[in-house]
Amino acid sequence: MNKKVKVILNVLIGVACVFFLVYMINMFSSFKYRAEQEKKKDTLEVDISLFEYKLRHKAYNEILSSYHVDRLDGLEVPKGYEDIFRTAEYAHTAFMRKIYEAEKNEDQVRACTERMQNLKKDMGKYKYTADEVEEILRNAP
Amino acid sequence: MTCRNCKHEIAPSEIKCPICGAENPFGIEHAKNMKKHEAAFSKTEKDVAASTGMVIAVGTRAAILIVLLIGILLMAEIGNRNYEDPHPEIEVQEDAVKNAAVYAEQMDDLLKNGQYFDFMCFVFTHDIAMVDAPEYDGLFPIRSVANDYYQCIRGLEEMILRSTDPDYFDGLDTDISNFCMYLESFLTNAENMKSRKQKEEYPRYMDEMLQEMKAALKTYLAMDDVALEEFLEQSKAQKAVELERILRHE
């Protein structure tokens, strides 16, 4: 009887050893995956340089496009992306203000103007983008 | 006891009398019994040792197995946690169900203030379209129209604010195509969705979105009322051609 138990336990230990190895490999792969994900998350530098490249070409459409996509993940501004979000939000608000002006929706025009002023105050070295956006909108289409 | 022969006092275990040398039958019997008991004791001792060894061997194996199983469970848990999505959709949706009353109120406020674009951002961010809660009942028609409105505004915004630098990628054709698709959908939905079961103020919001869209088109495509109505009457392909003509200044 005891011998049978011993044999059964030996078989179970063998099977458990195989699973142990499989799960160990899986665990080490997961550490690698996690490290890669962390690395991917840290794309701030690349995003900033891309943003400046787009600004050099006045490609506000692409700045807005990224902004709208990023906003789908949450309404809060991610750390380090303040300048990008401010520029995009200014462009969007300026765009909407012109529509409200055409509609003669005074409340919305006032709200947009106030928002634009507040954004412009914090724009720092990117303040010139506000003028560029307004000029493009003024000359549209 | 005493020796049968010399009556001298002897111990019961003595085989012979130490004085006269006569045999002690009781002592002989005793010695035989002792041999038998010693053999039985030795056998029992061996059996006990063997059984203890077996128990130790089984116990060791069981302990190894338990350690292996605990290791497997731990590694499986660590692996799962590392592969976990940091922003799982399911959590966003659970949050939308949990805070349904608050979110429904916030969405109503956005609609009341005419912030249809922000309303749609809110819907997307909280995955409201994928959630089933009584607070969101009847939201489908306004959400459907607001989605087209959102896509149209985004499209128009990106077409107007695109780079005119000849050295930069020009995706205007694709943008025009997408815009025309959403505009068609918006114009159809803004009419058809009014008859759906919904809150009584929603059709009014749909009208406001339509007026806002018309204002946007007039403002950014430099159209008067007549030109706008003609433009809206055109087919999708004709609209695309007209948009390309306006936006490329052809």
Side-chain angles (χ1 to χ4, degrees):
Chain A
M1 175 65 187
N2 276 345
K3 272 193 179 168
K4 271 187 188 169
V5 174
K6 234 166 104 176
V7 171
I8 292 169
L9 281 174
N10 284 345
V11 172
L12 286 176
I13 287 172
V15 174
C17 279
V18 173
F19 275 97
F20 191 87
L21 277 175
V22 170
Y23 276 96
M24 195 163 71
I25 293 167
N26 175 59
M27 186 183 70
F28 285 122
S29 313
S30 77
F31 283 133
K32 209 175 154 189
Y33 172 81
R34 189 76 173 181
E36 276 170 15
Q37 293 300 106
E38 293 293 324
K39 218 173 166 185
K40 261 189 212 166
K41 254 194 234 168
D42 196 19
T43 54
L44 179 62
E45 260 181 55
V46 178
D47 289 340
I48 294 277
S49 67
L50 253 173
F51 169 64
E52 292 194 335
Y53 174 77
K54 288 170 188 171
L55 282 184
R56 276 201 297 280
H57 293 278
K58 296 186 184 176
Y60 289 98
N61 56 332
E62 295 204 0
I63 293 168
L64 275 164
S65 178
S66 310
Y67 164 73
H68 290 311
V69 171
D70 288 340
R71 278 188 86 192
L72 299 183
D73 284 338
L75 299 173
E76 278 172 31
V77 182
K79 210 176 163 209
Y81 286 77
E82 292 83 357
D83 287 333
I84 302 177
F85 271 56
R86 226 173 268 132
T87 306
E89 199 180 338
Y90 188 91
H92 174 67
T93 315
F95 179 87
M96 292 306 291
R97 188 180 68 170
K98 254 192 111 174
I99 299 174
Y100 296 134
E101 276 173 357
E103 272 195 312
K104 296 190 171 53
N105 187 338
E106 296 302 327
D107 290 341
Q108 293 285 20
V109 172
R110 206 175 307 118
C112 286
T113 309
E114 206 175 300
R115 182 81 197 117
M116 284 161 70
Q117 280 167 353
N118 288 336
L119 285 166
K120 205 171 181 176
K121 249 187 258 167
D122 299 326
M123 276 176 139
K125 66 172 178 168
Y126 296 110
K127 212 168 250 178
Y128 74 95
T129 61
D131 301 328
E132 275 186 0
V133 164
E134 281 180 58
E135 197 194 330
I136 295 171
L137 292 179
R138 211 171 19 249
N139 297 327
Chain B
M1 70 178 290
T2 53
C3 173
R4 280 190 198 169
N5 193 30
C6 65
K7 305 294 178 204
H8 190 268
E9 202 55 43
I10 57 169
S13 57
E14 299 271 21
I15 294 169
K16 283 178 180 176
C17 174
I19 308 297
C20 68
E23 281 187 346
N24 176 14
F26 189 80
I28 291 167
E29 188 63 31
H30 174 74
K32 268 184 196 168
N33 285 343
M34 281 307 287
K35 247 186 197 171
K36 224 191 274 175
H37 291 315
E38 266 168 19
F41 175 75
S42 160
K43 191 177 171 290
T44 309
E45 199 178 31
K46 271 183 194 165
D47 285 351
V48 168
S51 160
T52 310
M54 186 62 88
V55 168
I56 289 171
V58 170
T60 310
R61 280 168 177 74
I64 291 171
L65 190 62
I66 289 169
V67 169
L68 282 172
L69 289 176
I70 291 172
I72 290 169
L73 288 175
L74 274 176
M75 288 189 296
E77 181 61 23
I78 293 170
N80 283 345
R81 280 189 187 195
N82 284 339
Y83 282 123
E84 222 168 52
D85 183 356
H87 300 293
E89 271 177 26
I90 194 84
E91 271 183 26
V92 177
Q93 289 168 11
E94 278 170 4
D95 173 71
V97 173
K98 213 171 103 187
N99 299 304
V102 180
Y103 290 170
E105 205 175 304
Q106 287 179 356
M107 285 192 291
D108 268 347
D109 285 345
L110 288 171
L111 289 170
K112 243 179 249 167
N113 294 334
Q115 292 168 282
Y116 306 117
F117 195 91
D118 293 333
F119 162 76
M120 215 46 222
C121 282
F122 192 93
V123 169
F124 286 138
T125 308
H126 296 288
D127 222 353
I128 305 287
M130 304 305 291
V131 171
D132 190 20
E135 288 85 349
Y136 304 137
D137 280 353
L139 208 61
F140 172 74
I142 190 79
R143 209 184 62 219
S144 176
V145 176
N147 178 49
D148 291 332
Y149 166 88
Y150 170 91
Q151 302 294 353
C152 286
I153 291 289
R154 259 189 78 172
L156 188 60
E157 186 178 72
E158 287 173 24
M159 286 189 296
I160 296 299
L161 287 162
R162 75 190 188 282
S163 172
T164 47
D165 189 337
D167 291 335
Y168 198 77
F169 167 72
D170 178 32
L172 185 61
D173 293 348
T174 317
D175 289 345
I176 287 176
S177 164
N178 288 338
F179 175 76
C180 290
M181 184 182 74
Y182 283 117
L183 185 62
E184 284 284 310
S185 174
F186 173 71
L187 295 171
T188 316
N189 269 339
E191 278 309 313
N192 294 346
M193 288 292 171
K194 280 182 198 165
S195 55
R196 293 281 192 111
K197 192 184 161 199
Q198 56 192 307
K199 284 190 183 173
E200 61 176 295
E201 59 269 31
Y202 285 174
R204 184 167 51 83
Y205 298 151
M206 290 176 193
D207 281 337
E208 280 178 14
M209 275 188 259
L210 187 61
Q211 292 314 312
E212 220 163 280
M213 185 60 64
K214 285 182 179 176
L217 292 172
K218 273 160 63 179
T219 306
Y220 288 112
L221 302 178
M223 288 176 175
D224 57 21
D225 289 334
V226 179
L228 177 69
E229 287 311 318
E230 277 174 10
F231 174 74
L232 294 179
E233 290 294 314
Q234 288 174 341
S235 70
K236 210 156 54 173
Q238 285 170 325
K239 281 190 186 91
V241 172
E242 181 68 4
L243 275 176
E244 184 143 18
R245 188 188 64 75
I246 297 169
L247 293 168
R248 290 203 190 279
H249 306 286
E250 287 167 350

